[in-house]
Amino acid sequence: METLEQIRDRLLARFPAAKVELLANPGTAAEHSLLLDPVSAPEIARFLRDDPALRLDYCSNVTGVDWPEKEITDTVKKSVPDPAGGPAKVVEEKTKRLQPGCLEAVYHLYSMALKHGPVIVRLRTGNRTDQVTLPSLTPVWRAADFQEREIFDLYGIVFSGHPDLRRILMWDEFKDHPMRKDYVSPDDFEWEPTPHGDVHERAKAHYPPADGPAAAAAQEGPKP
Amino acid sequence: MSCSDQSGLDAELSAFGRPGGPTVRPVHDQFHGDLLEVSMGPQHPSTHGVFRMVVTLDGEQIVKLKPVFGYLHRNHEKIAENTSYLGSMPYTDRLDYLCSMSTNWAYALAVEKLSGQAVPDRAQYLRIIMAELTRLVNHSCLVGFLFNDLGTSFTPLLYAFREREKILDLFESLSGSRMMCNYQRFGGCRVDPSPEWLAAAQALVDGFPRFLDEYETMLTGNEIMLARTQGVGRLDPAHAVNAGITGPVLRASGVGYDLRKVDGYGFYPRFDFRVPVGEAGDTYDRYMMRILEMRESVKILQQAFRDLPAGPVMDPKAKLRGFRPKAGEAYGRLEGPKGELGFYLISDGSPNPWRYRVRPPSLINLTLLEEMCLGHTIADAVVILGSIDIVLGEVDR
Amino acid sequence: MLGSGILKGLGVTAKNFAGSYHDPARMVTQEYPDTPVKLPEAYRNFPFLVTENATDPMGTLRCVACQICEKECPPQCIYIEKSKDKKPDATGKPQLYPAVFAIDTAVCMSCQLCVEVCPFDAIKMDQIFEVAATNRFAGLLLNREQLAKPNSYFHQLHPTDAAEVDGRLGAERKAAEEKARAAAAAKAAAPKPAAPAVTPAPKPAAGGPTP
């Protein structure tokens, strides 16, 4: 199979308007991926599936990832000349910038016909609040059907063009998206006096303790 | 249409989204006059767990089928983001609870890929032995439960379970628990089996073909079984490839894609075994896939016992506590008994993973359940579901 | 002949049915609880704390409240509070001990990670499974007294493991004793430093590190 750089070059040659970026994977596995822009992703996906050299007909895994916004501090060493005429001082200037967060969908593509792979393709949303739409690749690979529904359910990415986008693991009336990093789980579930958990502390606030001295003693925990 | 030509698929697949074609609309839609909507499950003896199928029937024939799951969703992926890598290993036992040894191996494979951890030879052979024993366990369960779904309440199931119990006893004496083995570690296996254990396992594997012969004599030629499974639930190979179906379900449709041969992970390239591939893609072929794969597993096990080298079972440089892989990501996959089981891990250098994703074969194999069941009767839907082999722990995580 | 498959199947069933009266391979039911269950040595269900002897369990716990098992436990079912004072352990060294050590067996999944990471062989896997309690919360929360079991019990459950642990700990203790003895002997043999008024250069003490 050709390398990821060659695939990227071919894609850029075939779809000049598309933005295809190669993201290097720093770890030992060296599984680099291609970052696609959402507008041209469906036609690139179709090309990847039907191209005779690649024939990536098997979409193995579709994952959602949440990248919350990060505050990054850039440190720049500047040389400030001394007004008194002495040697120049080296001053560190720290500037903070906010790297915007986004939601991401990662597709692992293999080929059953040619038995090679993987080619990893990523799609990123604009931000985590209002620009959370990505094109659905289910019309290209039916394998993405349930997995994109799961990403919609757990992360909140809206896949436009998906034939049946609704919640799959949580119940239909559920609000919020549980797998996001800033998800706060609800307090109002039946709590049990186990040793750990600030969740249980919060839940305790919802329910009065059971009656009886034995129950009150149980809540205090074992005596040393 | 051959499975390699995908371009004509788009017209067929888009019919699934358009009104008028076999639709996948939400079922709390308008109620059709003379069609009956039945909710099979989530509490149902034949649905293999808390699985629900909302079936729209015209008499006995299925017109529309919607799978509904999430009743066993336990948040495994979020828990893993707050647990160390090692701490997630016992939770992987509980994903596909029938095949804990191979799920453990899949997770260990992904983490070893992520961190570049080496595994000693003896551990690689032991992993293959455990994985193939797990395949025997899973396929025995499957053929047993398939016949349960066909209506032969319990006799074939308990015959299969009699053999399965012997393998579970082996797992118990090795790892401490029948099903929740927690046996693989990053860099090898936790426990080295004793010579007595290896002798007992060898005896079991030697006796397994006789069990399979007896089982096949009882069931494979049975006319009622043939009438109920042949031609039922046909799966077109091109659709199967496009829908990401893997495992025996895919191979029954004629696509010879087995990760043990394609990826060659572990030491599988050293073993001589064949991959059975079916023709018709119906329930009977899926059943026969499992029987033939059990025979091939026995072959692999015989070779593994013969060639098992001496040595350590854990890499000496492997760390149990304080394990922090470098930042990066990895996708490790293997051929589990149900299909391709993969773990996708993104690490940011901390002791807990940033993103931990399980690629569940049972969930993906359910994608074409509706297509396989349309036009058949409701009794066939139960049998087709049984032949796909799902475990809700994996579907819902 | 139509039906031959069914007849062959019925033959297999008949063989199993008749065989279940005399063939041990075909009668696999163990009538529990009438037949006592024989568990393999490696079987694990819920942990317990090892004490050196049965006469003074709280005084001879191997656990030093390092809280490593608490941190590694995946469902976080272990709850430890360190003591404020130190007590001498089996080698005589003063160590902390757990003032509170509770395991919530309703949460514990018997995964055995606590046993694997314990540096002191203080927590091991028990094999209890007949643990019905009358109270869902307090009855399943085992405290230190309920968890502490003597080393002899450990030998009963896991003979090979216990023998290995005893061997290793015994060797470590002997090595520590030898080192302490050597250090004490060297200190005793060192010449006493002379008073400054008598000799200009006091001889240095040749003792080893204080035990």
Side-chain angles (χ1 to χ4, degrees):
Chain A
M1 194 181 80
E2 40 190 8
T3 66
L4 216 55
E5 284 87 5
Q6 291 171 318
I7 299 178
R8 176 201 52 192
D9 296 336
R10 275 217 292 149
L11 287 173
L12 286 171
R14 180 93 162 69
F15 303 98
K19 294 194 258 300
V20 179
E21 200 185 309
L22 195 141
L23 290 182
N25 174 10
T28 342
E31 283 183 352
H32 311 297
S33 49
L34 290 175
L35 177 66
L36 302 181
D37 70 295
V39 171
S40 52
E43 47 178 11
I44 293 185
R46 208 169 296 269
F47 172 77
L48 288 173
R49 188 190 73 183
D50 297 332
D51 175 59
L54 287 174
R55 289 258 280 270
L56 298 166
D57 50 6
Y58 169 45
C59 174
S60 163
N61 178 31
V62 184
T63 313
V65 192
D66 182 16
W67 299 106
E69 55 182 30
K70 228 167 34 163
E71 198 182 66
I72 301 191
T73 316
D74 290 318
T75 318
V76 174
K77 289 204 171 86
K78 274 187 16 184
S79 174
V80 173
D82 195 2
K89 285 201 298 240
V90 173
V91 164
E92 275 188 2
E93 239 185 47
K94 286 190 200 267
T95 42
K96 284 197 201 267
R97 60 185 168 96
L98 206 60
Q99 188 184 64
C102 69
L103 299 166
E104 188 178 46
V106 185
Y107 294 78
H108 283 77
L109 306 170
Y110 289 82
S111 171
M112 282 200 188
L114 302 177
K115 300 204 169 39
H116 62 218
V119 170
I120 306 173
V121 158
R122 309 179 101 97
L123 297 170
R124 289 193 176 154
T125 62
N127 59 29
R128 294 169 79 238
T129 45
D130 52 345
Q131 298 166 19
V132 287
T133 315
L134 284 180
S136 166
L137 298 187
T138 304
V140 182
W141 295 288
R142 184 73 193 283
D145 188 350
F146 283 176
Q147 303 188 72
E148 283 179 353
R149 270 178 69 185
E150 183 185 330
I151 300 178
F152 164 67
D153 183 6
L154 298 178
Y155 282 94
I157 301 182
V158 175
F159 288 96
S160 63
H162 193 282
D164 181 24
L165 192 68
R166 53 195 171 93
R167 286 189 183 266
I168 189 172
L169 291 177
M170 307 306 289
W171 57 96
D172 290 327
E173 296 83 20
F174 190 80
K175 302 275 173 291
D176 212 348
H177 299 283
M179 278 295 282
R180 290 204 182 180
K181 296 282 179 182
D182 52 1
Y183 174 72
V184 174
S185 50
D187 303 338
D188 55 343
F189 59 90
E190 185 186 303
W191 73 279
E192 300 184 355
T194 50
H196 272 284
D198 58 346
V199 179
H200 295 296
E201 290 303 316
R202 288 176 11 227
K204 253 198 248 184
H206 271 98
Y207 295 98
D211 297 329
Q219 286 162 38
E220 282 162 22
K223 302 231 181 321
Chain B
M1 175 201 324
S2 75
C3 69
S4 48
D5 171 23
Q6 301 263 309
S7 45
L9 261 181
D10 289 335
E12 285 188 27
L13 292 176
S14 59
F16 276 93
R18 272 204 318 266
T23 49
V24 230
R25 286 194 319 259
V27 287
H28 42 267
D29 193 75
Q30 67 263 58
F31 180 67
H32 303 266
D34 51 2
L35 299 178
L36 181 65
E37 191 172 286
V38 174
S39 174
M40 290 182 65
Q43 289 142 320
H44 193 288
S46 299
T47 54
H48 294 266
V50 275
F51 179 68
R52 180 167 165 228
M53 289 190 282
V54 185
V55 187
T56 308
L57 296 172
D58 174 16
E60 276 264 335
Q61 274 212 329
I62 297 178
V63 169
K64 187 161 86 169
L65 186 147
K66 292 302 298 291
V68 181
F69 35 83
Y71 296 97
L72 195 52
H73 180 58
R74 292 162 295 181
N75 228 346
H76 176 219
E77 298 182 353
K78 186 106 185 169
I79 292 177
E81 286 179 10
N82 299 327
T83 319
S84 63
Y85 285 89
L86 180 65
S88 285
M89 184 62 94
Y91 288 119
T92 59
D93 286 337
R94 289 146 170 89
L95 278 176
D96 178 356
Y97 34 79
L98 300 175
C99 314
S100 76
M101 288 280 194
S102 42
T103 322
N104 282 350
W105 186 8
Y107 180 50
L109 200 70
V111 174
E112 282 156 11
K113 215 166 154 184
L114 180 66
S115 64
Q117 173 78 48
V119 179
D121 283 5
R122 186 175 169 88
Q124 293 278 25
Y125 274 87
L126 283 176
R127 283 177 169 182
I128 292 184
I129 291 177
M130 300 306 153
E132 294 306 317
L133 283 174
T134 310
R135 203 175 305 272
L136 293 178
V137 159
N138 176 271
H139 289 338
S140 312
C141 276
L142 179 101
V143 296
F145 281 118
L146 181 64
F147 282 97
N148 236 23
D149 293 341
L150 280 171
T152 68
S153 53
F154 290 105
T155 300
L157 176 68
L158 289 179
Y159 284 11
F161 269 34
R162 215 169 35 189
E163 289 307 307
R164 177 177 175 246
E165 281 298 307
K166 297 184 192 156
I167 305 182
L168 292 183
D169 283 342
L170 280 178
F171 284 165
E172 191 181 29
S173 56
L174 178 67
S175 77
S177 171
R178 284 150 49 96
M179 280 170 31
M180 308 293 140
C181 299
N182 192 14
Y183 180 67
Q184 316 288 358
R185 292 282 177 267
F186 316 132
C189 304
R190 172 163 57 91
V191 174
D192 196 359
S194 62
E196 295 83 26
W197 189 92
L198 289 169
Q202 177 88 62
L204 186 146
V205 170
D206 290 337
F208 211 83
R210 253 193 45 207
F211 152 70
L212 281 177
D213 291 335
E214 186 188 60
Y215 208 75
E216 284 212 86
T217 315
M218 182 164 76
L219 294 168
T220 304
N222 192 306
E223 283 81 359
I224 305 177
M225 192 275 266
L226 292 176
R228 282 205 63 187
T229 56
Q230 281 185 331
V232 167
R234 270 184 206 279
L235 182 58
D236 178 71
H239 290 188
V241 169
N242 190 273
I245 313 284
T246 48
V249 181
L250 174 72
R251 291 194 283 278
S253 297
V255 181
Y257 190 75
D258 184 327
L259 292 182
R260 293 175 290 175
K261 296 281 195 194
V262 169
D263 274 358
Y265 57 92
F267 278 4
Y268 273 112
R270 299 188 187 188
F271 288 83
D272 168 38
F273 64 101
R274 296 181 302 176
V275 173
V277 173
E279 297 175 335
D282 55 10
T283 305
Y284 179 71
D285 274 7
R286 290 193 278 272
Y287 156 73
M288 280 311 293
M289 279 303 104
R290 270 74 182 220
I291 300 281
L292 293 171
E293 277 191 11
M294 281 202 270
R295 292 196 193 274
E296 296 299 318
S297 287
V298 167
K299 274 205 312 208
I300 299 177
L301 281 166
Q302 301 280 28
Q303 291 168 48
F305 283 125
R306 187 192 66 205
D307 298 335
L308 181 65
V313 282
M314 271 292 275
D315 185 55
K317 289 210 256 311
K319 285 210 311 196
L320 205 58
R321 298 191 61 227
F323 176 72
R324 281 169 185 257
K326 283 208 282 284
E329 58 181 55
Y331 179 60
R333 61 181 196 159
L334 55 70
E335 179 78 19
K338 300 185 160 65
E340 172 184 319
L341 173 61
F343 280 80
Y344 176 55
L345 294 164
I346 301 184
S347 156
D348 58 348
S350 70
N352 299 353
W354 178 260
R355 173 72 170 113
Y356 168 108
R357 152 87 181 166
V358 183
R359 189 263 183 207
S362 303
L363 174 70
I364 316 289
N365 288 357
L366 282 176
T367 311
L368 293 182
L369 180 64
E370 180 173 14
E371 180 184 307
M372 282 196 265
C373 289
L374 287 178
H376 290 297
T377 62
I378 200 167
D380 295 331
V382 168
V383 175
I384 294 169
L385 180 67
S387 70
I388 297 181
D389 195 5
I390 59 169
V391 159
L392 265 299
E394 201 172 51
V395 170
D396 292 340
R397 281 151 289 133
Chain C
M1 175 188 94
L2 183 70
S4 59
I6 300 180
L7 285 178
K8 276 204 284 202
L10 288 175
V12 171
T13 335
K15 205 161 50 141
N16 273 283
F17 176 66
S20 68
Y21 285 102
H22 62 265
D23 181 6
R26 304 213 187 272
M27 44 183 163
V28 287
T29 312
Q30 274 185 334
E31 286 162 357
Y32 174 81
D34 299 328
T35 338
V37 63
K38 200 174 153 324
L39 294 167
E41 183 189 327
Y43 175 71
R44 55 180 151 93
N45 211 23
F46 298 141
F48 73 94
L49 290 171
V50 185
T51 66
E52 291 298 342
N53 59 49
T55 46
D56 180 18
M58 291 304 110
T60 55
L61 281 177
R62 281 190 198 158
C63 173
V64 299
C66 65
Q67 296 182 301
I68 290 180
C69 59
E70 190 181 19
K71 291 197 201 79
E72 294 293 324
C73 175
Q76 303 273 290
C77 69
I78 303 184
Y79 178 60
I80 299 178
E81 266 183 21
K82 287 186 190 307
S83 62
K84 298 277 185 295
D85 60 322
K86 289 196 180 189
K87 276 206 308 232
D89 70 350
T91 57
K93 205 160 116 166
Q95 296 270 24
L96 293 171
Y97 59 91
V100 172
F101 193 112
I103 294 186
D104 187 355
T105 52
V107 176
C108 172
M109 55 178 176
S110 305
C111 67
Q112 209 208 31
L113 287 186
C114 54
V115 171
E116 279 179 53
V117 296
C118 176
F120 298 94
D121 296 293
I123 186 169
K124 295 290 173 190
M125 288 316 277
D126 205 345
Q127 293 184 346
I128 46 170
F129 56 92
E130 290 149 329
V131 279
T134 47
N135 181 328
R136 195 153 55 106
F137 308 123
L140 292 177
L141 186 67
L142 299 183
N143 58 17
R144 199 181 51 162
E145 282 72 19
Q146 291 165 300
L147 285 171
K149 299 200 179 156
N151 198 13
S152 50
Y153 179 72
F154 182 33
H155 272 274
Q156 249 184 310
L157 290 186
H158 307 274
T160 24
D161 261 350
E164 188 262 326
V165 168
D166 278 356
R168 195 167 19 96
L169 288 182
E172 277 174 18
R173 278 178 205 151
K174 243 172 43 155
E177 268 173 45
E178 295 247 347
K179 208 163 93 152
R181 216 179 309 126
K187 190 160 178 241
K192 293 199 183 38
V198 178
T199 333
K203 291 205 179 63
T210 342

